[in-house]
Every structure is written in structure tokens, then in C-alpha cells.
Amino acid sequence: MVVRPADLDTADEDAPDTVIACTSSNPRITHELLNGIQPGDLLRATGTLVQPSTPGQPARLTIDTFQVLSTAPIPVLRDMVLDRYGDYVVIFDADHDQVPFFTAHGTWVGLADNPDVITRLINIHERVTGGDA
């Protein structure tokens, strides 16, 4: 979880974010945190915060409950954006309709004519390779 300063508009441009490693014993919370929320969503997470035993390591938060207070605005593509589709990485470029995509390990998979066909091409790649990304 990345915690940004509450007064981001008035904070220094290089004000640091705080990174907190999270875990939960509730599989529904874990699933929602991994799949349901988007970067920039405003969350309220409650649980137990444990300081690291080694200096310099991030604190760990065991989440008992969380609530989405507001969702992030839909991002507008500017320049180049990397996005992850499970075991695949795609590169969106605002200047091009075509979308190159790779496995998370860097193996070239293909070039989608447009973002709408990425999922279909990934499914085809999974069938052809037996699901090994």
C-alpha cells in the first residue's frame, strides 16, 4: 500500500510516499485488494501495524477491514503507460493504437491492433503455450 501525504496539493513536489507491506487472513479482503481496487483509490484500512525488526525495512499492516472511500478518476493516457494483465505486461502509447505485450518475464508475445483485443490475444497465447506465461 502506498500512502501519500493528505495535503498532496500543498505538499512539496518531492514529498516522500510511505510504502506499507500488507497482508490479511481474510481471502475476500486479499482478493479485493489485489483485483478490485485501482491505483489512486482512497481507502480506509484498519488492522494491526507491526514495525519491522530490521531498520530500513517497511512496516507491515495486517488488514482486518477496509473501505473504498472514493475511487480514482479514470486515467487519461499520456505518453507511455505499462499495465499488467496477470502474467502479462502491455505497453500503452498515446501516439499509437497498436499495443505490444510481453510475459512478465520479458518474453515477446505479440502486438495487438488496439487495446480491445488484448484479452483475446492473451487467451490465444495461453491456449497455444499451455498456459505458461
Side-chain angles (χ1 to χ4, degrees):
M1 181 178 301
V2 177
V3 179
R4 296 229 158 105
D7 57 348
L8 193 57
D9 293 335
T10 59
D12 288 339
E13 188 173 308
D14 52 339
D17 294 338
T18 302
V19 177
I20 301 173
C22 297
T23 186
S24 180
S25 60
N26 184 331
R28 290 189 313 227
I29 290 176
T30 303
H31 182 269
E32 189 63 24
L33 288 172
L34 292 173
N35 299 297
I37 62 170
Q38 299 296 317
D41 286 352
L42 181 60
L43 304 177
R44 174 181 291 137
T46 59
T48 306
L49 183 64
V50 177
Q51 293 295 333
S53 57
T54 306
Q57 295 294 317
R60 188 181 71 239
L61 175 64
T62 300
I63 298 176
D64 298 324
T65 64
F66 84 96
Q67 176 184 10
V68 178
L69 300 176
S70 69
T71 57
I74 296 173
V76 176
L77 292 180
R78 295 185 187 128
D79 300 324
M80 195 178 316
V81 176
L82 295 175
D83 199 0
R84 184 106 183 227
Y85 284 66
D87 292 330
Y88 298 88
V89 177
V90 298
I91 303 172
F92 294 105
D93 186 343
D95 296 331
H96 298 91
D97 288 333
Q98 294 180 322
V99 182
F101 61 105
F102 305 82
T103 66
H105 300 291
T107 304
W108 172 256
V109 175
L111 187 65
D113 290 332
N114 60 63
D116 296 331
V117 298
I118 293 170
T119 305
R120 188 178 75 205
L121 293 177
I122 288 174
N123 289 337
I124 291 169
H125 182 262
E126 293 273 320
R127 284 195 308 265
V128 169
T129 63
D132 294 332

